[in-house]
Amino acid sequence: MTYTKYSASGNDFVIFHTFIKKDYSKEAIELCNRTEGIGADGLIVLVPNEKADFEWLFYNSDGSDASMCGNGTRACAHYAFKNGLAPNSMQFLTGAGLIKSIVEEDIVETQLTAPLVIKDEFEQDGFTWYLVDTGVPHLVTIVDNLEDYDHDLCAKMRYEHNANVNFAKIENGVIKVRTYERGVEGETLACGTGMAACFLRANNLNLVSNKTFVYPKSDEELTLSLVDNTIYFKGAVKNVFTTTR
Ligand SMILES: N[C@H](CCC[C@H](N)C(=O)O)C(=O)O
């Protein structure tokens, strides 16, 4: 089997395509293992689909499946286009519904699914939280200092709310984000749906405009924009290497 390793702003994935649609949780754990496998935050498997260019199966590195992955859609779309599996403007089926992505060289823009606010605002453990589903559930708190990010608190909030956890700081109209990712069970270098959740919260509070830059832990530059309640997420992806096992 041939596997390709992608990095999307530091959020990294192993990607392959097959005709066989089955549960790949076990393969996800093996392939994402950073000491004995290729190493990645997630596994993406492309399988044929009659109603879209393809369907994807997404797994976190712990083998859990997730309905959506913003950075994963950007890497997957680039992979699909470069492997002749889809045109540069494509739509594919995910657990969160149809996703549209456009590939232009190494820049990919994804139209995320319609956001759904689960809890608008609540206090817990000294922070003000916002809980929103941007394809997967995300807790967001806006802080003055990203050093407030605390692994143990994130783990507690992750399990209590079954959501990813984001700390965001607004600086001169742009957003800096740190994310604890469910299914990785730790901080990742970027989380697309997490950046989208932070952007939505900051935009709702009139702290950023309808189009702004967002910088995750990797400090790569992503563009988030909101048009008619639809979030667009754009940035570079990197095909790191391809290997066969
Ligand atoms: N860990 C997430 C899925 C991946 C989301 C993230 N990698 C992104 O780019 O959106 C979850 O289980 O909810």
Side-chain angles (χ1 to χ4, degrees):
M1 178 63 79
T2 300
Y3 303 109
T4 300
K5 167 80 183 260
Y6 264 86
S7 174
S9 312
N11 209 188
D12 54 354
F13 308 95
V14 174
I15 306 180
F16 70 89
H17 61 277
T18 175
F19 287 104
I20 304 164
K21 183 177 178 182
K22 72 175 188 71
D23 180 352
Y24 288 97
S25 303
K26 185 174 166 296
E27 289 84 348
I29 295 168
E30 288 171 0
L31 292 166
C32 294
N33 186 303
R34 292 194 185 278
T35 49
E36 297 177 5
I38 294 173
D41 293 329
L43 170 66
I44 300 172
V45 184
L46 285 71
V47 295
N49 183 273
E50 288 175 4
K51 295 178 184 153
D53 291 306
F54 55 89
E55 178 182 359
W56 89 348
L57 309 173
F58 179 86
Y59 302 88
N60 290 303
S61 55
D62 70 353
S64 61
D65 63 295
S67 51
M68 233 312 257
C69 173
N71 285 318
T73 64
R74 297 193 298 110
C76 175
H78 191 273
Y79 174 92
F81 177 55
K82 294 296 183 185
N83 284 278
L85 303 173
N88 78 306
S89 177
M90 65 187 79
Q91 55 181 4
F92 52 97
L93 187 60
T94 72
L98 270 184
I99 289 292
K100 294 175 186 168
S101 293
I102 299 176
V103 179
E104 290 171 343
E105 300 298 328
D106 287 346
I107 305 294
V108 185
E109 179 175 72
T110 287
Q111 175 184 325
L112 297 179
T113 52
L116 175 68
V117 177
I118 301 166
K119 268 189 184 177
D120 194 23
E121 192 167 288
F122 66 99
E123 305 294 322
Q124 186 173 341
D125 291 299
F127 293 93
T128 301
W129 300 95
Y130 166 77
L131 179 56
V132 61
D133 187 307
T134 49
V136 287
H138 282 274
L139 285 160
V140 175
T141 187
I142 294 179
V143 293
D144 294 329
N145 184 343
L146 284 176
E147 291 310 306
D148 286 350
Y149 175 95
D150 175 86
H151 174 87
D152 294 344
L153 173 61
C154 286
K156 175 174 178 284
M157 294 297 287
R158 171 262 182 274
Y159 280 103
E160 279 188 27
H161 300 273
N162 189 27
N164 303 274
V165 187
N166 302 268
F167 281 68
K169 178 181 179 183
I170 318 300
E171 236 175 37
N172 307 319
V174 303
I175 310 172
K176 296 195 172 187
V177 177
R178 295 184 69 178
T179 304
Y180 177 104
E181 269 203 56
R182 183 178 70 167
V184 177
E185 302 313 329
E187 183 173 14
T188 55
L189 291 177
C191 176
T193 48
M195 284 187 262
C198 295
F199 165 64
L200 204 60
R201 172 63 167 166
N203 181 263
N204 289 348
L205 295 173
N206 295 313
L207 298 174
V208 296
S209 67
N210 286 348
K211 182 172 183 177
T212 192
F213 294 128
V214 182
Y215 301 89
K217 180 77 173 176
S218 65
D219 215 21
E220 289 200 23
E221 185 174 275
L222 283 298
T223 304
L224 270 292
S225 46
L226 183 64
V227 179
D228 302 333
N229 198 39
T230 301
I231 302 177
Y232 295 85
F233 172 49
K234 186 175 185 177
V237 297
K238 185 176 180 185
N239 175 330
V240 181
F241 65 78
T242 293
T243 184
T244 302
R245 187 175 79 164

